């Protein structure tokens, strides 16, 4: 009966904690959402799934996908490029013959397939919706190659699509681009237990890859909220960040090789499994974070670290941002190689989680800042000793005011829920303007204060309904210098948007920060690339785009 | 009411968020290199005793808690959970070293606890209703029998009156309220409370608290085992699903399996 007791007790914890399923600012596409046609034109701020209805509420069932406003209406500056051919029956016939299987082609050209096709036309936030009439699901690199060659020859525009969990509208069509979805390419080809190198298809779902590795005592170097839906090809194409980045670094270092198909059908086989390979230009890097604008990633080889058997989590209260920085420095110094996460949450986010979930705050008193530190290593005794020393030190030197250390796995998960639960709770009052920014660490939180001052001076922030803005909060991956500036609002309001943009981007630009740390550019941030990239850089990027995709069929209307 | 001397036995078990695996020889669950923590029911016991003490801060009439002793019989590593118990608020710890291979049966634990109760002059023992590794759920009851004390098992609420202790326990379709006088045995159930986190200052203080180490021979106990584990097996593995191409494929598959 051991299992049943475990089950009961874990049930109880679940009821108490309602832990968010994962660890990232992006949510799983599973929440009830509503997006009605009356919402104003979205800003470039990534918006949240909990969009308010006409009464300002966010309850109720998800609106049908068909009621999502077309991206082309939301962004009237985007016009369909007349150089692209309109899809005809002839094209559909070619693809049907090429792919054979009935389920590989969703044909909305010769018949009405709108029910089946809408899921590929719109994103999970219910924010973007395209007009595509054709979805192709190739099963092999060769099929992708033949599809792209045909499209290139016939000037048919395409959108590569993975799990469709992006936050910036990069994976859905704007007009009638053909969706090339990689879900059928989902094989894990090899895993080397000695080197930790895995070779897999682009369409493998992240969680499946991570579970596969877990059985072999390894870990996928990326973890994020949408792991149950997102695909590793899409992760690579968008250079997703997430929670393991501090420890394991970005894809630019972890991905050892890529097989990709270029628009003319060329298969670029750079599926190297070598850690070191200094033989000229490292072309695969162009596809990491390229967002499907120069080719489609079909396979990746990636180096995966060993899974750490010993994990500890501590949660601190600190009195100022200066103290947070001190704690971070101490953590790096004393925990060094076992430090696996250093997350920052301001008191407003923690009070919000407390208010929305009704859970008791982990610490007794109130503190302006909170931090979550995770260590992972191979030896519990060694880690415990290090952590103990570190904790004693930061308490004695009063770097942290108060803190707790998780005593078991459940407490580890509970403490993480105070970081992971923020995104979900932010949507509680209505909508949220979200900015995902890279800022030099010493100035990271200044932006939150200045934004709050700015909106308060403009009379937009308040506790009652006459003010659109509920609060201005900040949290993020402190270790990576990545701030999530969030402005929860009761309703979307033009004056709020005017106060925020382009002011936020200018602020970031002045500090040589990035307007998109880990979410990418897609459709939403297209007009703002200039704040993070100089004219010369943008010109060089365009040259690469033109070189690989001279006809411009790959993911058009997006950032480049 | 006389002041309370509370004894809280705690057990080190495989963390309940970890999936236990049966060892190759099928003689036991694999415990090497597996994360261990305090039995969750015992966390409730510690929390409840600390709350009983804290009541005195709010109500003068609440009973005075003289001492909370955390006790564990287990391998050297059990000291970790005794430290956790002390970080949560227990005053001192008592560790009887029992190697994993010589693990006690519930009766052995109850006999040992009887001696510990006598030694420490405890008048209230709060135990978890069961440990999640063996799930025997017997120790509290056996201890009550050996001591000939009243027992209230599976407590979901504990109230102290002038001369009695009132315990509410959940039963099928309702609750049952029991009343007894000290000394007594209480075992805890899930709804009793929500255990606190161990704070850093308290973790540090706990390091300086007294932790006595003893052996079974110090208590002169006969802990002969009466049960023999014949075999431990995992539940049958769930059969994997199959993918079908289309609705017709699903119908024919269902027919094939006799579901239609």
């Amino acid at each position: 009966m051991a299992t049943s007791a475990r089950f009961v007790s874990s049930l109880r914890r679940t009821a108490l904690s309602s832990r968010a399923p994962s660890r990232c600012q992006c949510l799983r596409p599973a929440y009830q959402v509503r997006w009605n046609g009356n919402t104003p034109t979205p800003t470039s701020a990534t918006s949240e799934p909990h969009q308010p209805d006409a009464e300002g509420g966010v309850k109720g069932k998800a609106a049908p996908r068909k009621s999502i406003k077309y991206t082309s209406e939301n962004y009237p500056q985007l016009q369909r490029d007349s150089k692209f051919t309109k899809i005809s029956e002839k094209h559909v016939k070619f693809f049907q013959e090429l792919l054979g299987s009935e389920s590989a082609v969703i044909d909305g050209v010769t018949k009405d397939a709108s029910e089946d096709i809408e899921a590929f036309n719109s994103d999970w936030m219910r924010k973007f919706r395209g007009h595509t009439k054709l979805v192709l699901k190739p099963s092999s690199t060769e099929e992708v190659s033949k599809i792209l060659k045909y499209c290139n020859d016939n000037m048919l525009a395409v959108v590569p699509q993975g799990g469709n969990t992006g936050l910036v509208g990069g994976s859905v069509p704007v007009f009638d681009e053909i969706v090339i979805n990689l879900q059928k390419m989902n094989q894990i080809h090899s895993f080397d237990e000695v080197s930790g190198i895995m070779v897999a298809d682009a369409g493998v779902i992240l969680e499946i890859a991570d579970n596969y590795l877990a059985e072999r005592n390894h870990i996928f170097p990326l973890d994020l909220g949408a792991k149950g839906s997102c695909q590793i090809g899409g992760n690579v194409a968008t250079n997703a960040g997430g929670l393991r980045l501090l420890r394991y670094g970005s894809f630019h270092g972890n991905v050892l090789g890529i097989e990709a198909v270029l628009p003319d059908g060329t298969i670029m086989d750079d599926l190297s499994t070598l850690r070191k390979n200094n033989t000229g230009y490292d072309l695969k890097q162009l596809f990491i974070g390229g967002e499907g604008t120069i080719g489609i990633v079909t396979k990746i080889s990636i180096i995966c670290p060993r899974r750490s058997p010993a994990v500890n989590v501590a949660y601190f209260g600190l009195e100022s941002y200066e103290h947070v920085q001190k704690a971070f420095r101490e953590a790096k110094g004393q925990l060094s190689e076992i430090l696996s996460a250093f997350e920052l949450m301001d008191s407003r986010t923690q009070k919000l989680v407390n208010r929305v979930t009704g859970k008791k705050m982990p610490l007794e008193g109130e503190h302006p800042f909170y931090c979550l530190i995770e260590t992972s290593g191979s030896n519990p005794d060694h880690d415990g000793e290090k952590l103990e020393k570190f904790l004693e030190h930061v308490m004695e030197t009063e770097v942290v005011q108060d803190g707790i250390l998780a005593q078991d796995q459940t407490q580890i998960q509970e403490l993480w829920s105070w970081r992971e639960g923020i995104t979900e709770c932010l949507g509680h009052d209505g909508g949220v303007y979200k900015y995902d920014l890279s800022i030099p660490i010493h100035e990271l939180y200044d932006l939150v204060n200045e934004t709050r001052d700015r909106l308060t001076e403009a009379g937009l922030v308040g506790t009652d309904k006459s003010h659109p803005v509920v609060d201005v909060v900040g949290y993020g991956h402190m270790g990576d210098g990545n701030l999530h500036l969030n402005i929860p609002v009761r309703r979307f309001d033009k004056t709020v948007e005017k106060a925020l943009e382009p002011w936020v981007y200018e602020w970031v630009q002045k500090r040589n920060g990035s307007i998109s740390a880990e979410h990418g550019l897609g459709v939403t941030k297209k007009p703002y690339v200039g704040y993070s990239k100089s004219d010369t850089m943008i010109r060089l990027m365009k040259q690469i785009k033109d070189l690989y995709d001279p006809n411009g069929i790959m993911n058009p209307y997006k950032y480049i | 009411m006389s002041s309370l001397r509370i004894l809280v036995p705690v057990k080190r078990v495989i963390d309940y968020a970890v999936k236990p695996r049966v060892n190759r020889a099928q003689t036991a669950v694999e415990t090497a290199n597996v994360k261990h923590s305090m039995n969750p029911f015992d966390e409730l016991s510690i929390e409840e005793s600390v709350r009983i003490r804290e009541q005195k801060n709010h109500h003068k009439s609440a009973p005075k808690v003289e001492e909370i002793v955390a006790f564990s019989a287990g391998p050297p590593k059990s000291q970790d959970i005794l430290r956790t118990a002390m970080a949560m608020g227990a005053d001192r710890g008592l560790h009887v070293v029992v190697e994993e291979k010589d693990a006690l049966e519930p009766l052995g634990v109850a006999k040992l606890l009887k001696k510990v109760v006598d030694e420490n002059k405890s008048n209230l023992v709060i135990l978890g209703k069961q440990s999640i590794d063996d799930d025997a759920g017997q120790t509290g009851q056996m201890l009550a029998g050996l001591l000939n004390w009243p027992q209230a098992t599976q407590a979901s609420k504990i109230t102290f009156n002038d001369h009695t202790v009132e315990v509410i326990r959940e039963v099928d379709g309702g609750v049952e309220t029991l009343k007894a006088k000290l000394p007594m045995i209480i075992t805890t159930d899930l709804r009793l409370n929500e255990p606190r986190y161990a704070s850093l200052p308290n973790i540090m203080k706990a390091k300086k608290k007294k932790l006595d180490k003893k052996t079974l021979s110090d208590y002169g106990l006969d802990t002969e085992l009466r049960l023999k584990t014949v075999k431990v097996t995992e539940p049958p593995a769930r059969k994997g699903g199959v993918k079908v191409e289309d609705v017709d494929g699903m119908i024919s598959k269902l027919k094939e399996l006799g579901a239609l």
Side-chain angles (χ1 to χ4, degrees), chain A residues 10-31:
Chain A
S10 55
L11 263 187
R12 164 179 162 268
R13 300 286 181 145
T14 318
L16 289 171
S17 72
S18 70
R19 175 179 132 82
S22 49
R23 302 181 173 177
C24 186
Q25 71 297 332
C26 357
L27 289 174
R28 252 171 230 261
Y31 297 100

Side-chain angles (χ1 to χ4, degrees), chain B:
Chain B
M1 175 173 277
S2 55
S3 58
L4 295 169
R5 296 181 61 83
I6 307 176
L7 177 70
V8 186
V10 295
K11 187 175 184 185
R12 176 178 178 268
V13 298
I14 293 179
D15 192 289
Y16 67 68
V18 173
K19 189 174 183 279
R21 294 193 185 280
V22 174
N23 66 9
R24 283 244 173 90
Q26 295 197 320
T27 53
V29 167
E30 192 63 72
T31 53
N33 298 320
V34 176
K35 188 175 171 66
H36 283 68
S37 340
M38 193 193 294
N39 178 35
F41 293 104
D42 302 343
E43 266 188 299
L44 300 167
S45 317
I46 292 281
E47 176 67 28
E48 193 63 21
S49 8
V50 178
R51 286 190 190 190
I52 294 170
R53 165 178 281 159
E54 287 167 351
Q55 276 171 19
K56 194 73 184 164
N57 302 336
H58 310 293
H59 309 285
K60 274 222 158 104
S61 60
K64 183 174 181 299
V65 175
E66 216 169 288
E67 187 177 49
I68 300 170
V69 180
F71 164 90
S72 191
K77 282 264 180 199
S78 302
Q79 287 193 16
D80 294 351
I81 62 156
L82 284 172
R83 293 280 174 210
T84 302
M86 289 189 276
M88 286 173 76
D91 299 306
R92 61 186 176 93
L94 175 56
H95 180 205
V96 174
V97 185
V98 179
E99 289 305 330
E100 214 166 309
K101 58 178 174 47
D102 309 317
L104 302 172
E105 286 172 1
L107 182 60
V109 180
K111 282 179 180 170
L112 178 58
L113 281 173
K114 179 176 184 294
K115 301 234 174 192
V116 174
V117 165
D118 292 342
E119 181 189 58
N120 292 283
K121 302 188 175 57
S122 316
N123 56 3
L124 176 64
V125 186
I126 307 181
L127 309 88
K129 70 167 181 178
Q130 69 196 120
S131 64
I132 60 164
D133 50 358
D134 296 331
D135 275 343
Q138 299 165 354
T139 310
Q141 292 89 325
M142 286 177 171
L143 179 62
L146 291 173
L147 286 165
N148 198 22
W149 287 5
Q151 60 174 319
T153 56
Q154 281 117 296
S156 60
K157 190 172 178 358
I158 301 173
T159 327
F160 286 84
N161 300 322
D162 284 346
H163 299 289
T164 54
V165 185
E166 206 173 271
V167 173
I168 293 177
R169 54 202 303 273
E170 289 181 3
V171 292
D172 277 351
V175 295
E176 182 180 64
T177 308
L178 300 177
K179 208 188 264 184
K181 280 186 183 157
L182 290 179
M184 75 177 292
I185 306 286
I186 296 174
T187 71
T188 58
D189 208 344
L190 294 172
R191 228 175 285 270
L192 183 60
N193 58 47
E194 190 187 339
R196 68 195 61 195
Y197 292 103
S199 77
L200 295 182
N202 287 339
I203 290 174
M204 280 184 237
K205 272 185 223 155
K207 277 193 212 151
K208 299 195 179 84
K209 288 183 181 174
K210 205 169 129 205
L211 204 171
D212 288 319
K213 221 162 126 181
K214 297 204 170 182
T215 59
L216 281 176
S217 58
D218 291 339
Y219 291 95
L221 261 184
D222 156 38
T223 52
E224 187 201 346
L225 299 188
R226 297 169 181 226
L227 298 169
K228 189 180 169 220
T229 303
V230 181
K231 197 177 176 189
V232 180
T233 54
E234 295 207 10
R238 199 175 153 268
K239 278 184 199 158
V242 287
K243 271 190 183 166
V244 290
E245 267 295 304
D246 46 26
V247 176
D248 288 340
M250 185 169 79
I251 291 171
S252 61
K253 192 81 203 166
L254 287 172
K255 279 186 178 151
E256 190 186 311
L257 294 167
L260 280 183

